[in-house]
């Protein structure tokens, strides 16, 4: 009986974990044929490193600052929705592990645990950022931003690459809606996502063609414009603004021109526009056409970062830090332990590879440590006219 019971427990545990992993199809989903999702990964393979040797790399310091806040590592937990699909504690696990590692956590606008609850459980000195989708009802966004500022969030990450949801067939096919009706945790996640959204149905709809992203995206204002950055800043009581979803040099320059404190080069993990460039490609494009942007705003990257060397490549080309999403969401199936494991693996890989490239601190990572010639062939070749000069000419 003892043996049998053991096997039963193992089998049930496997089944439970496996079925929860299936439910993470939403996290895995990407747009159309998922080409951009795959390019995000392929981009790293096209870039070679040029390590330096015979340098004393006994001690290594991986710390940096992100918008002036100390981070022990050059990455943060990127906003990703609906943590409770993976684990009943959802975003609470992500916030706890971010605190444990001393890295910022950017809570999703569509988190399945309330942002105020997360903030109320934050550790002393923990850095939390808030991801914003602007609501069609702007008054709701204004009220939301006031609450975000009051809760102690340190910056607003305005996501601008999703005026509408991308076409994510994996998400549509996952038939999560049927499962949701059976699983109270998932029901809770769906019900608590974006609680202020006006057009979101209270119950998951039954049409199988609607993925979660479309359901959640109903409230998003597709009329957002550059001039709204000033309004967002005002409404948040002056919090720093980071524009997430920059995919070309022109928009990087415009974000800087309109007073953004930071930009995230991101194609939303390949979930929005199929054909969009990887963050490394956009970074190379900025270096080519708008190099001043790198001095004007903090530049972060996300999309497909899985290894310490991926992070090193972005940092050497000028990024300040990197956002990591899916690895944390997948590992969330195992709660705090899983999330901690991912952060630990990344930390250790970074420490090892920063040494192997011949550096002892992040400031020593520079473009000459990278050969991106192969990837540069993908970079836009002009014609190019600086949009900022055009804006200025009209003044
Ligand atoms: C129009 C906005 O960011 C995701 C989340 C939520 C997207 C909502 C769509 O799934 O990528």
């Amino acid at each position: 009986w003892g043996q049998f019971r053991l096997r039963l427990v193992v089998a049930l545990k496997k089944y439970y974990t496996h079925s929860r992993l299936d439910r993470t199809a939403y996290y895995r989903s990407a747009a159309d044929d998922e080409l951009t999702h795959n390019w995000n990964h392929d981009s790293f393979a096209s870039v070679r490193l040029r390590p330096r040797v015979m340098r004393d790399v006994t001690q290594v310091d991986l710390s940096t600052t992100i918008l002036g806040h100390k981070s022990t590592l050059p990455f943060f937990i990127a906003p990703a929705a609906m943590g409770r699909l993976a684990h009943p504690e959802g975003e609470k696990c992500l916030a706890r592990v971010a605190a444990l590692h001393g890295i910022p956590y950017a809570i999703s606008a569509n988190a399945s645990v309330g942002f105020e609850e997360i903030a109320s459980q934050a550790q002393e000195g923990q850095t939390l950022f808030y991801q914003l989708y602007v609501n069609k009802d702007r008054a709701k966004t204004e009220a939301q931003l006031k609450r975000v500022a009051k809760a102690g969030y340190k910056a607003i990450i305005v996501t601008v690459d999703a005026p509408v949801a991308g076409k994510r067939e994996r998400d549509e096919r996952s038939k999560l809606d049927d499962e949701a009706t059976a699983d109270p945790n998932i029901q809770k996640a769906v019900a608590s996502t974006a609680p202020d959204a006006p057009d979101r149905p209270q119950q998951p709809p039954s049409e199988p063609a609607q993925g979660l992203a479309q359901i959640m995206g109903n409230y998003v204002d597709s009329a957002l414009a550059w001039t709204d950055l000033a309004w967002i800043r005002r409404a948040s009581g002056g919090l720093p603004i980071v524009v997430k979803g920059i995919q070309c040099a022109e928009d990087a320059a415009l974000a800087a021109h309109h007073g953004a404190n930071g930009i995230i080069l991101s194609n939303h993990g390949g979930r929005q526009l199929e054909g969009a460039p990887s963050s490394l490609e956009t970074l190379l494009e900025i270096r080519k056409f708008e190099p001043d942007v790198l001095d004007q705003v903090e530049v972060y990257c996300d999309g497909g970062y899985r290894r310490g060397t991926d992070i090193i490549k972005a940092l050497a080309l000028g990024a300040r830090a990197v956002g990591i999403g899916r690895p944390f969401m997948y590992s969330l199936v195992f709660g705090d332990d899983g999330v901690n494991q991912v952060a630990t693996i990344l930390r250790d890989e970074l420490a090892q590879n920063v040494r192997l490239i011949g550096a002892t601190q992040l400031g020593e990572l520079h473009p000459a440590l990278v050969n991106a010639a192969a990837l540069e062939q993908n970079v836009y070749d002009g014609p190019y006219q600086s949009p900022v000069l055009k804006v200025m000419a009209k003044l």
Side-chain angles (χ1 to χ4, degrees), residues 26 81 110 131 133 162 164-165 168 213 216-217 220 268 271:
Y26 162 70
N110 294 300
Q131 181 209 25
Y133 283 108
V164 295
R168 308 175 190 176
M216 282 191 286
V220 172
H268 213 117
R271 292 155 84 78

Side-chain angles (χ1 to χ4, degrees), residues 26 29 82 165-177 201 204-205 207-218:
Y26 162 70
S29 64
M82 300 194 69
K167 187 166 189 289
R168 308 175 190 176
E169 292 174 357
R170 196 184 290 268
D171 180 21
E172 290 167 4
R173 279 195 304 267
S174 73
K175 298 225 186 333
L176 179 69
D177 297 343
E207 310 104 72
Q210 265 214 313
L212 283 173
Q214 279 163 309
I215 298 167
M216 282 191 286
N218 281 339

